[in-house]
Amino acid sequence: MSKPQETAVYTHGHHESVLRSHTSRTAANSAAYLLGSLKPHMRILDIGCGPGTITADLAALVPDGHVTGVDHAPAILDQARATAAGRGLTNVDFAAADVHALDYPDDTFCVVHAHQVLQHVGDPVQALREMRRVTKPGGFIAVRDADYAAMTWYPAAPGLDDWLELYGRVARANGGEPDAGRRLRSWALAAGLTDITATSGTWTYSTAEERAWWGGLWADRTVASSYAERATERGHATIGQLAAIAAAWREWAGQEDGWFAVLHGEILCRK
């Protein structure tokens, strides 16, 4: 019997505008719900590690333990290794992996963590089963995902409504589920997990600097990333429509009273 494997296509890719967002992520701003459960000796698996900023933070928090960061895209792992090396961390390593079929024995890790991963995979329930399998009894499965339909902003901007509708279509055509945050508890139950604490967290962008950063990276992502290529190649949008959405992002970012909130679902499951 063959192993399950990834069927979805990662919507964002690793364009600079995407990494601009990913490299801003820290354990404090992206995994706060997990941090109180960490102990210095723990062995952690960080799934979908990307450029490794959260992975490095986790490694610093378990100085007597070890963190393994894995990602489905091998090309990003060199940047993750550089992130860890730049911080002088020696208790961390990185490898390519598919969350649907992890190449680790049962009961290997004290914590298995995934941030903004399940929204992009073809079978999130199978992914959670694998995460549970490689977690030690008494260990933790920790997952956090955004929920696009729950994102909200001010002032009203029809161009951002167009962005949200288009992003949902592109992400689902790629095999993902952009409204993953609200589904995490349901997926965990389907995967056989029972001791589940479900919470939520937000990122908020409201200062001039925050708006310029968030609006700018989404404007660039809309016209220059893998997301833009998939949107046009598959007939979801024209180049002109993408340019109009990018302009809407920049216009919103320039509004003095502009405000944007990203809601995330979070689950912390004890095996």
Side-chain angles (χ1 to χ4, degrees), residues 155-160 211 215 219 244-256 258:
L160 295 193
R211 294 194 312 272
I245 290 172
W249 271 111
R250 297 194 186 281
E251 182 178 359
W252 168 82
Q255 299 294 321
E256 185 178 3

Side-chain angles (χ1 to χ4, degrees), residues 38-262:
L38 298 183
K39 306 296 181 187
H41 68 277
M42 283 181 160
R43 185 176 182 186
I44 300 174
L45 179 64
D46 186 26
I47 294 172
C49 66
T53 51
I54 296 176
T55 319
D57 282 353
L58 293 174
L61 291 168
V62 292
D64 302 322
H66 189 89
V67 180
T68 296
V70 298
D71 202 282
H72 197 245
I76 196 62
L77 295 177
D78 284 343
Q79 184 168 342
R81 292 184 183 101
T83 298
R87 293 179 56 175
L89 296 164
T90 58
N91 63 332
V92 60
D93 69 297
F94 297 92
D98 181 349
V99 68
H100 297 88
L102 295 168
D103 192 21
Y104 299 101
D106 295 358
D107 307 335
T108 298
F109 299 96
C110 306
V111 176
V112 178
H113 168 263
H115 182 266
Q116 312 292 19
V117 172
L118 294 192
Q119 63 182 284
H120 298 296
V121 306
D123 190 342
V125 174
Q126 171 61 21
L128 282 161
R129 289 192 189 106
E130 274 292 273
M131 293 171 71
R132 179 181 185 274
R133 180 184 66 78
V134 301
T135 302
K136 294 179 179 180
F140 296 95
I141 299 96
V143 178
R144 187 176 196 250
D145 266 279
D147 194 299
Y148 277 75
M151 295 183 189
T152 189
W153 57 84
Y154 185 87
L160 295 193
D161 293 334
D162 294 340
W163 159 75
L164 186 60
E165 190 275 333
L166 174 63
Y167 181 83
R169 280 194 285 119
V170 174
R172 290 189 175 97
N174 284 340
E177 176 45 72
D179 301 341
R182 70 189 64 190
R183 292 170 163 82
L184 295 182
R185 179 177 171 83
S186 176
W187 289 341
L189 288 168
L193 293 159
T194 55
D195 186 350
I196 305 166
T197 300
T199 56
S200 61
T202 59
W203 292 333
T204 304
Y205 306 100
S206 62
T207 68
E209 292 77 14
E210 290 167 347
R211 294 194 312 272
W213 180 80
W214 183 245
L217 70 85
W218 266 108
D220 292 344
R221 191 181 302 189
T222 298
V223 296
S225 69
S226 296
Y227 161 67
E229 294 172 8
R230 290 169 185 134
T232 53
E233 288 173 359
R234 299 184 181 185
H236 298 292
T238 65
I239 292 174
Q241 287 169 328
L242 293 182
I245 290 172
W249 271 111
R250 297 194 186 281
E251 182 178 359
W252 168 82
Q255 299 294 321
E256 185 178 3
D257 58 351
W259 178 90
F260 197 107
V262 179

